[in-house]
Coordinates of all heavy atoms in Angstrom, one line a residue:
E36 N 20.1 -96.0 -8.8 CA 21.1 -95.2 -9.0 C 21.3 -94.9 -10.6 O 22.1 -93.9 -10.9 CB 22.4 -95.8 -8.4 CG 22.3 -95.8 -6.9 CD 23.7 -96.3 -6.4 OE1 24.6 -96.7 -7.1 OE2 23.8 -96.3 -5.1
G91 N 30.5 -84.9 -9.3 CA 31.6 -84.0 -9.7 C 31.6 -82.7 -9.0 O 31.0 -82.5 -7.9
E165 N 11.0 -71.1 -13.8 CA 12.3 -70.3 -14.0 C 13.4 -71.0 -13.4 O 13.3 -71.8 -12.5 CB 12.0 -68.9 -13.4 CG 10.9 -68.1 -14.0 CD 10.9 -66.7 -13.3 OE1 11.8 -66.0 -13.5 OE2 9.9 -66.4 -12.6
Q221 N 14.8 -100.7 -29.5 CA 16.2 -100.1 -29.0 C 17.3 -100.9 -29.5 O 18.4 -100.5 -29.3 CB 16.3 -100.0 -27.5 CG 15.2 -99.1 -26.9 CD 15.5 -97.6 -27.4 OE1 16.5 -97.1 -27.2 NE2 14.3 -97.1 -27.9
S251 N 33.7 -98.9 -25.6 CA 34.5 -100.1 -26.2 C 34.4 -101.2 -25.3 O 34.2 -102.4 -25.9 CB 36.0 -99.6 -26.4 OG 36.1 -98.5 -27.3
L253 N 32.0 -102.1 -23.2 CA 30.6 -102.6 -23.2 C 30.3 -103.4 -24.6 O 29.7 -104.4 -24.5 CB 29.6 -101.5 -23.0 CG 29.5 -100.9 -21.6 CD1 28.6 -99.7 -21.6 CD2 29.1 -102.0 -20.6
I320 N 16.9 -90.4 -39.5 CA 16.2 -89.5 -40.3 C 15.1 -88.8 -39.6 O 14.7 -87.7 -39.6 CB 15.8 -90.2 -41.6 CG1 16.9 -90.6 -42.5 CG2 14.7 -89.3 -42.4 CD1 16.6 -91.4 -43.7

Side-chain angles (χ1 to χ4, degrees):
E36 298 181 352
E165 295 183 67
Q221 294 297 306
S251 299
L253 290 175
I320 293 175

